[in-house]
Amino acid sequence: MSYRIMVAIVLCCHYMSAFSALGMPLFLPIMLQELDAPLQSSWVGLLFILPTLMTAIAARFWGHFADTYGRKTSLLRAELGLAVGFLICGFSQSLWQLIIGLSIQGLFGGTMAASNAYLATSITDKNALKQVLNFTQFSARLALITAPIGLGFLVYHYEVLSLYRVLAILPLLAFLLSCWLKKDVVSVVALSDVNAVELSKTSLTTHSYSSTNNKAALSKNRQKNLYHSQIKGAALYSNPYLFLSLLQFFLAFCMVATFPYFLPFAKTFGLSISQIGQLYAMPHVIYLICQLLCGRLSIRIPTSSLTLGFAVLAVAALLHLSDYLALIWLARMLFGVGMFMCYRSLHTQMASTNQSKHSGKIFSRYDALSKWGGVLAGLSVTLFVPMFGLLFPFVISALMAVIAMITIRMHQHYLTNLENHNQPKKDSYYETE
């Protein structure tokens, strides 16, 4: 199977799974009506985050599963898990059956992490992997635009719960398509001292603060001790995977915090449902446009754009506090630009630090922290919007973006100090450990 066909199959399967998983939560209030369940906002909010919460809880296990039994096997598991969860939801006769279906969807789903892990194992070229990771995010954003439109049309003609039965066909089709993918080679190898040295090298090289000659001169015992101190969390910033996953947490929080109460917020401007839908989708549309233009024009986004991306997100979130509709439209467009810059930079760094034999664990943790960010964002706005009003989600989104910028600055400061300690004396840094 050629490289292009393999990538096309994975992206197509991811889009089909994302279309169902991302589109249906918007219609949870209607599902509750069909089940004669209570329509309190707390129920809607809890059901909205339930699959995300379950995915975050199960991510660590599935990451180990992927590295042990194969990333293709894990991808097939995720697609089949979504299908089973959809079918249970589709045949639900009570609220608790719906809760079980959504829980299974979250526990056995996770197609984003499974797809990225498979791609990271199959693609060895870092530039190619970076582009593919961008396009997996592209397919998710495309689903966020097309799913509400398509499903919104079907809701007028069919019961929402019955749509779950139909939508179960999509992950089943993805499952059948994924069966054609080449099986990845599982290599269960314990981390050796050599691998530990490579990880510490990668951590510094990614951010252009490395000193290769100094590292080569270190003794093997000291390299091993440094690695173990990094893994145990003695220095958070020395572990590149954990640091990038933390930034993914901040990014997910910034975005998800603005989702649940956007409809009532936009209604204060006297907009129609159609106009609110356009306003809601604008960041995702801008993301797709930026992604296409960047690939078409071969524009290279520097790694430092991550800080700038969070700065744009902060400004965009604060612009939502304006009373002028024109500024709200500008804020939505800037939000899309900020999303694009952050994701582009994160994917570049993830591709640069990728270790294919541990891709299941790496991308599961990366996706898990994203899910935890979404869960905590949803809980935060659910608890505090009744107290502080509809502008609170945008304030906390901007605050989280600022915290992310501070975290990046602290990381750069840490690497600079490490470099300075290594340059004058090769042993000075390790004597202080």
Side-chain angles (χ1 to χ4, degrees):
M1 179 181 295
S2 70
Y3 163 81
R4 292 181 180 275
I5 294 177
M6 181 268 292
V7 171
I9 289 177
V10 175
L11 293 179
C12 180
C13 292
H14 181 257
Y15 172 78
M16 287 191 290
S17 299
F19 183 94
S20 305
L22 298 178
M24 289 302 291
L26 297 176
F27 305 100
L28 276 171
I30 303 177
M31 297 180 207
L32 293 177
Q33 286 181 342
E34 293 177 355
L35 293 173
D36 295 324
L39 294 177
Q40 288 87 348
S41 59
S42 58
W43 269 113
V44 176
L46 290 174
L47 292 178
F48 187 89
I49 66 172
L50 180 59
T52 304
L53 175 63
M54 292 301 175
T55 301
I57 293 173
R60 185 179 182 88
F61 171 78
W62 291 125
H64 178 73
F65 176 89
D67 289 336
T68 305
Y69 299 103
R71 290 84 188 178
K72 177 184 174 181
T73 303
S74 184
L75 179 58
L76 294 173
R77 175 271 313 165
E79 291 161 348
L80 192 58
L82 279 182
V84 173
F86 289 163
L87 287 174
I88 293 176
C89 290
F91 289 100
S92 295
Q93 299 296 321
S94 68
L95 176 61
W96 293 109
Q97 290 176 354
L98 178 63
I99 290 175
I100 292 173
L102 292 175
S103 299
I104 290 177
Q105 174 188 330
L107 283 174
F108 296 93
T111 53
M112 171 70 85
S115 298
N116 284 339
Y118 178 81
L119 292 169
T121 304
S122 305
I123 302 173
T124 56
D125 182 77
K126 292 181 179 179
N127 288 328
L129 177 59
K130 174 187 67 177
Q131 295 298 331
V132 171
L133 292 179
N134 287 330
F135 276 103
T136 56
Q137 191 60 230
F138 181 96
S139 64
R141 298 296 139 193
L142 184 61
L144 275 170
I145 297 172
T146 56
I149 297 174
L151 295 177
F153 173 78
L154 294 175
V155 163
Y156 286 106
H157 301 84
Y158 304 96
E159 291 185 351
V160 176
L161 287 174
S162 67
L163 289 180
Y164 262 123
R165 306 171 204 168
V166 178
L167 289 175
I169 297 174
L170 293 180
L172 285 175
L173 286 176
F175 176 86
L176 294 176
L177 274 176
S178 298
C179 290
W180 290 91
L181 293 172
K182 180 181 178 181
K183 187 174 179 61
D184 57 292
V185 178
V186 180
S187 178
V188 182
V189 181
L191 283 176
S192 63
D193 293 349
V194 176
N195 293 332
V197 175
E198 289 301 319
L199 178 57
S200 62
K201 285 182 179 180
T202 305
S203 172
L204 300 180
T205 303
T206 305
H207 301 277
S208 302
Y209 293 108
S210 65
S211 179
T212 306
N213 294 333
N214 288 341
K215 289 177 188 172
L218 296 174
S219 65
K220 291 183 178 180
N221 289 334
R222 286 173 178 170
Q223 292 167 350
K224 183 177 180 179
N225 291 336
L226 173 62
Y227 170 73
H228 285 298
S229 69
Q230 292 170 347
I231 293 300
K232 292 177 182 178
L236 166 67
Y237 299 127
S238 62
N239 189 329
Y241 305 122
L242 184 56
F243 174 68
L244 293 176
S245 298
L246 180 62
L247 293 181
Q248 173 73 346
F249 169 89
F250 291 139
L251 179 56
F253 193 106
C254 290
M255 293 187 300
V256 175
T258 65
F259 290 169
Y261 290 92
F262 187 81
L263 180 63
F265 163 77
K267 280 186 176 181
T268 61
F269 291 89
L271 300 176
S272 66
I273 296 298
S274 176
Q275 290 173 322
I276 293 174
Q278 295 171 16
L279 199 62
Y280 177 84
M282 181 56 66
H284 308 295
V285 173
I286 295 297
Y287 179 94
L288 298 186
I289 293 174
C290 290
Q291 178 64 39
L292 291 174
L293 287 178
C294 194
R296 188 87 173 176
L297 302 177
S298 300
I299 300 173
R300 300 187 65 180
I301 304 296
T303 302
S304 59
S305 66
L306 187 56
T307 302
L308 181 58
F310 277 110
V312 173
L313 285 177
V315 172
L318 293 177
L319 278 177
H320 285 81
L321 307 184
S322 171
D323 294 329
Y324 298 98
L325 185 58
L327 288 180
I328 301 299
W329 279 103
L330 176 62
R332 302 304 291 169
M333 290 187 283
L334 285 178
F335 209 85
V337 173
M339 285 167 46
F340 169 75
M341 296 180 72
C342 289
Y343 273 123
R344 185 85 175 183
S345 183
L346 283 173
H347 292 160
T348 299
Q349 295 184 54
M350 284 298 292
S352 299
T353 58
N354 177 56
Q355 288 183 331
S356 59
K357 64 182 177 181
H358 302 296
S359 60
K361 178 181 178 181
I362 291 169
F363 283 98
S364 290
R365 180 169 60 184
Y366 184 73
D367 187 60
L369 280 179
S370 173
K371 296 295 189 291
W372 281 118
V375 169
L376 291 180
L379 289 176
S380 298
V381 297
T382 299
L383 290 174
F384 293 108
V385 162
M387 299 170 57
F388 300 107
L390 294 173
L391 296 180
F392 175 79
F394 304 104
V395 174
I396 196 173
S397 177
L399 178 61
M400 191 59 67
V402 172
I403 294 175
M405 294 166 61
I406 295 173
T407 304
I408 296 171
R409 178 59 185 152
M410 292 173 64
H411 178 253
Q412 294 172 344
H413 181 68
Y414 165 82
L415 292 176
T416 301
N417 286 342
L418 183 61
E419 177 72 7
N420 291 337
H421 277 82
N422 281 338
Q423 281 182 349
K425 285 187 187 179
K426 295 179 181 179
D427 295 341
S428 60
Y429 173 77
Y430 298 95
E431 289 172 355
T432 62
E433 292 293 284

